[in-house]
Amino acid sequence: MTLTRRSFLSAVGISSVALSAAACSGPTAGSGPATVATGKLSGQVSLLTPIFEGAAGKALLEQKLIPAFQKTHPDVSFKVDYVNYSALNEKLTTGLAGGTVADVLMLGVGWIPPFAAKGVLAELPAEFADGQGFHPRVLDPSRHEGKLYALPAVLDTRFVAYRKDIFEEAGITAPPQNWEELRGIAKELTRSSGGRISRAGIDAFSIDLRQGWEYALFANGGKLFDETGRKVLFNQREGVEALEFLAGLIKDGSTAFDFRSEAGKPLQLQTGNAAMALVNNAHFMTIQQQSPELIKEGKIGTFLLKNTTEAMFQGGTLASVSARSKNPDAAQTFVRYLASPEVILHTCEYRGSVPAISALASSDYVKNNDFVRFAVDNLDKSVSEGGTPAWMEIRDTIKAAVEEALTGKATAQEALDRLADTANDAIGRLQ
Amino acid sequence: MTIVKAPKRAPQHTGPTAAPGAATLVDHKRKARFRRGLLCLALIAIAFVMLVPFLWMIITSLRPPSELGMANPPLIPGELQWSNYSDALKAAPFATYARNSFIIAISHTVLNLVMASMAGYALARLKFRGSTLIMGAFIAALMIPTYTKIVPEFLIVRFMPFFGGNDAFGQGGIGWLDSWWALIIPGAVTPFAVFLFRQFYASVPVELAEAARLDGVSEFGIYARIITPQIKPAIATVALLTFESSWNNFLWPLLVTSSDNLRVIQVGLSVFQNENTTQWSLLMAGTALATLPMVALFLLGQRYFVDGFTHAGIK
């Protein structure tokens, strides 16, 4: 396995925390079902968050959300540690190794099983999952071995957006129903000049390569791991076909490995340089700010990637309580608050994210955001990454394997078999 | 007696009847001028390539949001949005972040210059048992990847006895975490600086120190007043590199602090980015401001800096 900053810190940090977590686990960790906190809350709650890190996010959290919580719980104070996703794992890992982890941790989808399995997270009362109106599917990433460890704060989904005007111009009336159709349409809509693509049929690589391949895997009816999280499934036929599908788009000339929306530049779909693109729901905000005419004129459409199964990739951020929290009752209550409809709505508005609560489908925010509305309507088709306690060691190695296959350095099967070996090693190290 | 005939002088005119020797000289000069011209062109092209990212940063920092969404925006923004700079400064307490970065960078620079130069001097000029082994250890330390040191360093900082509520065994509190100690001490002295100083001190003639010793100058006096003034390029190089790496450090300050009033400018710049969106014009305005001290420092010390790099054989 290649030593990277993240893989090294994950391995060292998570293994070193295993011992200390066992020795110092808090009152809600370990035996017995978790109970709902009752009584008067007080004391300080520390929060580690990767989703309020911008200036606007900080203002939202500190001037709106926390003061609203303190109206009900005036004796609870907060200490917030802002970090972005690129350094969240390092921050968590070092904090865990040093025993200074925050009371409330906001983690990504796929992160719950690794940290729950090591005793880092406190179990939440099962009833937290009921009554709020969470779509049942979005709670999957919050659970480990049937127990609830987190609640979704925001969802970030991936699907396909396309230019309706380009489709109409070519006389294409409906989005593709399977990969064969998609490859055909992409090829038809591609334009080249001087040996270079001037308009790609599809911009498939502007989202994270790992997520792009996983999304194709889910749309092909595949899974990353089995139900126990101990058996690798991604190198079976569905995964190989998914990778071959992405590589096939390059072979067809419908896109190129280096054809993507560069940082700081508008999306290729936005400028009309791509007819279709794998997108994140938050891209709607970018288009709204930079090219509002595309939305006004109804030029952007959406559809789910589908080969054998219609699927939507579901990422997001979850709120959980540290097993070593010195103020578990207040932390637990705050986690429930972060996942309440009004807080979710504010957080989603700030980030362009998708609310996990079906009732919010009728809110103005969802109604006025085409991508978010599309995602909310398709939550029953959402599939999440992760699913194994070894995920933190595996996730950073996926991109390299996908890249190998896409650049022709290995066949899809070879790249995924090598990735499976790495994953099996990581799973083999689990206790 | 030997008679040496004066060489025949080349005619002064360079007309069609000019001597072959003069023509060769002119050709040679012309070729030299041509080569110099080519070199200048190549250097201008390279300098331009190096400047492009900075120009792009400045131009982007002045663009209105509408131009950021264009497929082919004009090279020069249609309307210069100077307010991006004031908006960037309003978005976060950049004065505090810049102050913190300055304090840390200056502290690292001073401590590294003082401690590493003394260590380098000792390793180069003082004979003591184990000096080769210690030098080997410094060189070995250079080869340890930064990220492999983060967790152990973090644990040392966290369990520092008698600080941050810790007892003698480093338990009970948070040690140096979320304090100036954690920001300054762990990165204060670098093995690279010790190695660089050692190389420079070793190159200064021994006679200088011996003469001073005969004059009764103490060993510290020889180090401070006689030898160290001879290695100004090393001092400038270490100072600039230390300041630069300290100013640009992102991960360590982020890991060991949680209070906003201890955060540094590189962490502060992340306020313009979240996972889903980036405010490019503000980010570039903030980055341009954050880059200014480094550019000024380089311009001031570039002669010494280049000397230092040449001497140490690094690039």
Side-chain angles (χ1 to χ4, degrees):
Chain A
M1 192 175 104
T2 318
L3 183 73
T4 63
R5 182 182 77 177
R6 285 188 184 173
S7 61
F8 180 81
L9 286 172
S10 301
V12 172
I14 294 192
S15 50
S16 62
V17 80
L19 289 172
S20 51
C24 316
S25 54
T28 52
S31 58
T35 52
V36 181
T38 50
K40 195 171 161 57
L41 303 175
S42 62
Q44 191 183 65
V45 171
S46 53
L47 164 68
L48 178 67
T49 171
I51 61 166
F52 295 103
E53 76 281 25
K58 198 175 161 189
L60 171 67
L61 182 66
E62 291 183 13
Q63 290 165 28
K64 198 164 192 171
L65 303 183
I66 287 178
F69 179 83
Q70 285 171 323
K71 273 187 186 163
T72 325
H73 306 286
D75 296 331
V76 179
S77 62
F78 286 87
K79 187 173 176 26
V80 187
D81 194 353
Y82 298 92
V83 63
N84 52 34
Y85 259 110
S86 65
L88 177 64
N89 194 20
E90 286 87 338
K91 185 83 186 177
L92 258 173
T93 308
T94 47
L96 289 168
T100 55
V101 70
D103 298 303
V104 175
L105 306 168
M106 300 192 84
L107 309 171
V109 160
W111 296 36
I112 299 302
F115 288 103
K118 295 289 182 190
V120 173
L121 304 180
E123 189 189 339
L124 295 177
E127 53 262 52
F128 275 19
D130 312 322
Q132 301 261 51
F134 289 118
H135 193 286
R137 200 126 179 183
V138 304
L139 286 170
D140 288 348
S142 302
R143 292 198 167 96
H144 173 60
E145 293 182 345
K147 293 175 183 170
L148 185 74
Y149 285 93
L151 292 175
V154 292
L155 303 180
D156 286 302
T157 57
R158 313 285 186 276
F159 43 83
V160 190
Y162 68 102
R163 287 291 295 257
K164 286 182 181 172
D165 50 336
I166 297 176
F167 268 52
E168 275 167 25
E169 217 176 77
I172 302 165
T173 50
Q177 293 304 305
N178 54 43
W179 289 350
E180 200 185 330
E181 274 186 43
L182 192 147
R183 281 178 70 167
I185 292 175
K187 210 169 171 180
E188 187 185 336
L189 298 178
T190 301
R191 299 285 179 273
S192 300
S193 84
R196 282 190 67 82
I197 295 172
S198 56
R199 183 178 79 196
I202 183 164
D203 169 10
F205 308 123
S206 287
I207 65 167
D208 185 271
L209 283 183
R210 180 188 84 234
Q211 295 172 344
W213 165 67
E214 286 170 354
Y215 184 23
L217 166 76
F218 300 150
N220 201 28
K223 287 181 173 179
L224 288 166
F225 307 96
D226 73 350
E227 295 302 319
T228 64
R230 308 274 167 160
K231 191 177 177 209
V232 171
L233 299 178
F234 58 68
N235 60 337
Q236 294 183 356
R237 182 184 55 79
E238 293 85 354
V240 175
E241 283 176 0
L243 199 43
E244 284 171 348
F245 159 67
L246 294 175
L249 294 169
I250 299 175
K251 269 189 206 150
D252 293 345
S254 305
T255 191
F257 180 67
D258 60 353
F259 185 92
R260 54 190 77 186
S261 306
E262 296 298 340
K265 295 191 81 178
L267 304 171
Q268 301 282 16
L269 183 83
Q270 205 178 324
T271 56
N273 289 340
M276 296 179 275
L278 295 184
V279 292
N280 178 339
N281 45 262
H283 284 145
F284 189 80
M285 267 171 70
T286 311
I287 300 172
Q288 210 167 26
Q289 283 162 7
Q290 298 179 346
S291 315
E293 71 284 354
L294 291 178
I295 293 165
K296 270 184 209 154
E297 293 163 17
K299 287 184 176 171
I300 308 275
T302 45
F303 65 89
L304 295 180
L305 198 59
K306 179 188 171 190
N307 195 35
T308 61
T309 312
E310 210 173 22
M312 181 170 73
F313 181 94
Q314 180 199 312
T317 303
L318 317 165
S320 56
V321 176
S322 161
R324 283 186 270 174
S325 171
K326 287 178 182 151
N327 198 353
D329 288 351
Q332 191 195 78
T333 309
F334 188 64
V335 162
R336 198 175 198 185
Y337 170 73
L338 283 174
S340 61
E342 64 275 22
V343 175
I344 285 181
L345 189 60
H346 284 307
T347 316
C348 286
E349 278 172 347
Y350 149 64
R351 294 175 56 80
S353 297
V354 178
I357 294 177
S358 309
L360 292 172
S362 57
S363 65
D364 286 345
Y365 164 68
V366 176
K367 279 183 192 164
N368 296 325
N369 185 314
D370 297 350
F371 284 12
V372 168
R373 192 173 63 248
F374 177 77
V376 169
D377 290 345
N378 287 288
L379 281 178
D380 56 333
K381 298 179 185 82
S382 66
V383 189
S384 304
E385 61 178 352
T388 172
W391 179 244
M392 300 310 287
E393 287 183 65
I394 298 167
R395 69 194 284 273
D396 288 329
T397 60
I398 296 177
K399 190 176 173 181
V402 173
E403 200 170 315
E404 262 190 336
L406 295 183
T407 52
K409 286 179 188 154
T411 64
Q413 186 73 60
E414 285 166 356
L416 292 179
D417 283 346
R418 273 202 286 271
L419 180 63
D421 290 342
T422 308
N424 282 323
D425 284 349
I427 290 170
R429 285 193 291 274
L430 295 171
Q431 289 168 343
Chain B
M1 194 173 120
T2 311
I3 299 168
V4 180
K5 286 185 178 173
K8 281 184 182 170
R9 292 185 63 189
Q12 293 302 304
H13 57 87
T14 54
T17 56
T24 311
L25 189 66
V26 170
D27 277 357
H28 185 72
K29 275 186 181 169
R30 200 174 290 155
K31 273 183 190 163
R33 210 177 299 139
F34 180 70
R35 273 201 295 266
R36 199 174 171 77
L38 273 184
L39 182 68
C40 282
L41 278 178
L43 289 176
I44 288 169
I46 292 168
F48 181 73
V49 169
M50 304 293 273
L51 271 174
V52 164
F54 290 95
L55 290 174
W56 183 82
M57 175 178 76
I58 302 287
I59 289 169
T60 308
S61 74
L62 295 169
R63 280 197 196 288
S66 55
E67 282 189 12
L68 289 171
M70 288 181 182
N72 296 305
L75 186 62
I76 305 296
E79 181 197 342
L80 296 179
Q81 197 96 2
W82 292 102
S83 58
N84 285 340
Y85 281 83
S86 52
D87 290 347
L89 288 170
K90 274 185 225 155
F94 274 101
T96 307
Y97 296 155
R99 181 205 65 188
N100 295 347
S101 286
F102 256 113
I103 292 173
I104 297 164
I106 294 283
S107 307
H108 279 170
T109 306
V110 171
L111 285 169
N112 208 10
L113 284 178
V114 173
M115 310 290 282
S117 68
M118 287 200 283
Y121 179 83
L123 288 168
R125 308 311 284 263
L126 304 182
K127 292 198 188 324
F128 60 94
R129 190 177 292 174
S131 64
T132 315
L133 198 67
I134 292 173
M135 186 60 200
F138 273 111
I139 292 172
L142 279 173
M143 296 171 194
I144 302 172
T146 306
Y147 295 110
T148 61
K149 295 184 288 187
I150 284 182
V151 172
E153 273 183 354
F154 185 89
L155 294 178
I156 291 169
V157 164
R158 155 72 180 83
F159 294 110
M160 188 58 64
F162 306 117
F163 282 88
N166 278 351
D167 58 21
F169 300 101
Q171 303 295 320
I174 57 167
W176 278 352
L177 290 181
D178 213 23
S179 74
W180 287 105
W181 296 103
L183 289 166
I184 292 172
I185 301 300
V189 181
T190 61
F192 170 74
V194 174
F195 169 72
L196 191 75
F197 276 122
R198 190 254 173 213
Q199 297 304 90
F200 269 84
Y201 281 122
S203 70
V204 177
V206 185
E207 291 77 9
L208 275 176
E210 283 173 352
R213 224 168 261 131
L214 287 175
D215 287 343
V217 183
S218 67
E219 196 62 45
F220 187 78
I222 295 172
Y223 150 76
R225 289 189 286 124
I226 310 294
I227 309 294
T228 300
Q230 311 298 319
I231 57 158
K232 281 178 192 155
I235 294 170
T237 306
V238 169
L240 196 66
L241 288 178
T242 310
F243 192 93
E244 185 264 344
S245 72
S246 186
W247 181 265
N248 289 332
N249 199 355
F250 170 79
L251 189 60
W252 180 254
L254 183 74
L255 294 180
V256 297
T257 62
S258 53
S259 305
D260 211 25
N261 61 0
L262 283 174
R263 290 265 153 108
V264 297
I265 199 142
Q266 302 302 335
V267 178
L269 286 174
S270 64
V271 301
F272 304 117
Q273 285 178 295
N274 69 37
E275 198 200 4
N276 293 339
T277 52
T278 301
Q279 295 166 283
W280 284 104
S281 50
L282 298 189
L283 178 66
M284 288 302 112
T287 308
L289 292 173
T291 312
L292 274 181
M294 289 318 307
V295 174
L297 205 67
F298 182 82
L299 290 176
L300 286 174
Q302 67 170 310
R303 185 162 65 86
Y304 292 116
F305 188 55
V306 173
D307 275 0
F309 271 9
T310 313
H311 199 98
I314 55 172
K315 55 183 177 178

